[in-house]
Amino acid sequence: MPQELNTKNIVYQKNTLCYEDYCLLRKSAGWSLFSREQTMMALTRSICTVTASENGQAVGMGRLTGDGIYLMITDVVVSPAFQKKGKNHFMKNWDLRLFQMTTAVPA
């Protein structure tokens, strides 16, 4: 079930990142695109994803990936129109919260 956190007009959702938004945001950052098959494999194998949206349009994303021992925050992108407005910092913090929610640390 997606989790949401609303910050002013930005809505942050866990595990709702779709192929179209992933490609749109990568393109907006000037990053290369992968085939649909590669992208869908990467998205489905993510431990979790976060999408930042305003008025239903994706303006940021991040993914948590890993092998069970090491975890990595990847693909953190904020649309150029939303950069330098504090959203990128919040995206990283939100990813860290998702990391804490999805990993079990032995006592």
Side-chain angles (χ1 to χ4, degrees):
M1 170 179 263
Q3 294 181 359
E4 291 186 0
L5 176 65
N6 203 344
T7 304
K8 297 188 182 181
N9 295 327
I10 304 294
V11 175
Y12 297 85
Q13 293 185 305
K14 178 181 173 184
N15 295 329
T16 61
L17 183 59
C18 66
Y19 170 79
E20 292 78 11
D21 290 341
Y22 180 83
C23 291
L24 176 76
L25 289 165
R26 283 187 64 91
K27 189 174 180 181
S28 77
W31 294 0
S32 60
L33 300 180
F34 301 101
S35 72
R36 184 177 186 93
E37 181 181 354
Q38 288 173 306
T39 301
M40 292 306 296
M41 186 179 297
L43 291 176
T44 58
R45 291 183 176 176
S46 299
I47 294 169
C48 65
T49 66
V50 62
T51 307
S53 303
E54 182 179 63
N55 299 322
Q57 180 179 351
V59 297
M61 69 173 180
R63 294 189 311 126
L64 183 65
T65 61
D67 61 9
I69 297 172
Y70 295 101
L71 299 170
M72 185 168 41
I73 296 171
T74 61
D75 293 329
V76 176
V77 177
V78 175
S79 173
F82 288 81
Q83 291 177 6
K84 300 184 182 181
K85 297 182 180 181
K87 276 91 177 156
N88 193 27
H89 175 72
F90 192 83
M91 286 292 293
K92 288 178 185 174
N93 287 339
W94 182 245
D95 270 346
L96 290 173
R97 281 187 222 141
L98 295 180
F99 165 78
Q100 292 169 343
M101 292 166 42
T102 56
T103 57
V105 179

